[in-house]
Amino acid sequence: MNVMGWADQQLEKYGEFEALIYQDQSYTNRTLHESSCRLAGGLLGLGIQPGQCVALWLSNGPDLVLAFTAVLRVGAVAVIVRDGQCLLIRR
């Protein structure tokens, strides 16, 4: 099981709770899950396939969390770009 499968199980097991607070906004695990699934569907629609690298050049915040989890949901490799450096994260 990958990390996103585990996260899905936790949502089913424990229900909805506040999972992310950023500045003056809060996000529940259910909201993050649903948004991540929609974005993953968009990535698949663009032709992203398991094992492919997807560069994420976003500042820290909810958008990065959503993009990161969507890439992992697809089974692709998230490549976070920061100040000219790359960090590869595989599922």
Side-chain angles (χ1 to χ4, degrees), residues 55-56 78-89:
L56 302 176
V79 181
I80 298 175
V81 180
R82 285 276 186 273
D83 300 323
Q85 298 180 348
C86 293
L87 172 64
L88 256 64
I89 302 176

Side-chain angles (χ1 to χ4, degrees), residues 4 19-22 27-29 31-33 35-37 39 56 58-73 78 80 82:
M4 296 317 302
L20 175 65
I21 300 171
Y22 181 76
Y27 304 85
T28 66
N29 58 336
T31 301
L32 293 173
H33 168 81
S35 297
S36 172
C37 287
L39 186 52
L56 302 176
L58 299 162
S59 32
N60 290 339
D63 290 341
L64 179 61
V65 172
L66 291 175
F68 177 78
T69 57
V71 169
L72 295 184
R73 263 184 208 292
I80 298 175
R82 285 276 186 273

Side-chain angles (χ1 to χ4, degrees), residues 15-52:
E16 189 169 359
F17 57 85
E18 190 173 65
L20 175 65
I21 300 171
Y22 181 76
Q23 296 177 353
D24 61 346
Q25 298 267 7
S26 67
Y27 304 85
T28 66
N29 58 336
R30 183 169 310 283
T31 301
L32 293 173
H33 168 81
E34 291 169 355
S35 297
S36 172
C37 287
R38 278 194 305 276
L39 186 52
L43 292 172
L44 289 169
L46 290 172
I48 301 299
Q49 297 177 3
Q52 286 186 311

